[in-house]
Amino acid sequence: MSTAAGTGPGPETPEPFPADHPTGPPDHPTGKPARRPPGRKGAERREALLDAAEGVLVAEGGPELTMRAVAAAAGVRLGHLQYYFPTHAELVAAVLERVLRRSAERLAPLLAPDAAADPAALVAALLADQEDARLVRLFAEVWALAARDAAVAGAVRGFYDDYREHVAAFLARLRPGLPQAERQARAGVFVMLVEGASLFRSGVAGTRAPDTDEALVRTALELLGP
């Protein structure tokens, strides 16, 4: 990844890391090691920094998601941020991983193999998520980053590939006689329909209205139904 998804200022000079802190395992999508102190306090500080980064992303947009902006938002020195996330790429990767992981966790109870195959409940829950304007804005910014950065795009595609496969498995429980190709096609259109609707129902690209909501729900249920 490039600095600020390829649109921001150049790389910032790192401050020295504390000599007594270890380097953690390579657990970011970038494959680079993240410096992270062990223990609960270290994890809490890391989460607080990611909260600040999400805040910058939502309020200012991807081009403003610089290391200095995040450090300022978190009220810490740049060196403190760089201890947890040595590079801008690692910071963006961690923000992205957390956003997608939380969304996957929200979807899991609805699409788990042992969950009741209730199409109406699934559609209602997914659309209810779109009432969270901050969440919709966050995803809109993630999509914008994906349009400019191949690494981000790959992670986003992976998330939606998994989402589509879960919906296809949900369809298989509902409609076991439906051909696999048809299940995959319906699942793909369902994900596109619901995710694309978030921009219009949230006010980002349109205004929510009862008649369009009714048609949206009807269309989504038709994809899952006969």
Side-chain angles (χ1 to χ4, degrees), residues 101 109 124 135 149:
R101 171 171 46 81
L135 179 63
D149 190 298

Side-chain angles (χ1 to χ4, degrees), residues 43-198:
E44 289 174 352
R45 289 167 183 160
R46 184 177 186 275
E47 288 299 301
L49 293 171
L50 291 176
D51 288 341
E54 282 190 13
V56 172
L57 187 59
V58 170
E60 306 295 337
E64 301 305 317
L65 187 65
T66 65
M67 299 288 277
R68 292 189 186 280
V70 173
V76 301
R77 296 175 64 234
L78 179 60
H80 178 85
L81 174 64
Q82 290 172 322
Y83 167 66
Y84 290 89
F85 307 102
T87 67
H88 178 269
E90 288 171 84
L91 174 63
V92 172
V95 170
L96 178 64
E97 185 276 334
R98 193 172 73 156
V99 170
L100 298 183
R101 171 171 46 81
R102 286 176 172 175
S103 289
E105 288 169 354
R106 285 194 300 274
L107 287 170
L110 302 170
L111 297 172
D114 57 349
D118 185 342
L122 173 63
V123 172
L126 290 173
L127 296 185
D129 254 3
Q130 297 176 5
E131 304 297 328
D132 185 345
R134 187 182 187 280
L135 179 63
V136 173
R137 177 65 185 271
L138 185 59
F139 260 87
E141 292 299 335
V142 167
W143 294 337
L145 283 171
R148 295 189 294 267
D149 190 298
V152 174
V156 171
R157 281 196 300 272
F159 169 77
Y160 283 113
D161 285 346
D162 287 344
Y163 185 176
R164 185 186 65 247
E165 290 302 319
H166 283 302
V167 174
F170 182 89
L171 261 172
R173 301 204 311 274
L174 276 174
R175 303 280 311 284
L178 201 65
Q180 182 180 1
E182 178 67 13
R183 288 200 304 267
Q184 290 288 335
R186 287 193 183 206
V189 174
F190 179 87
V191 172
M192 289 187 281
L193 175 70
V194 172
E195 293 299 290
S198 67

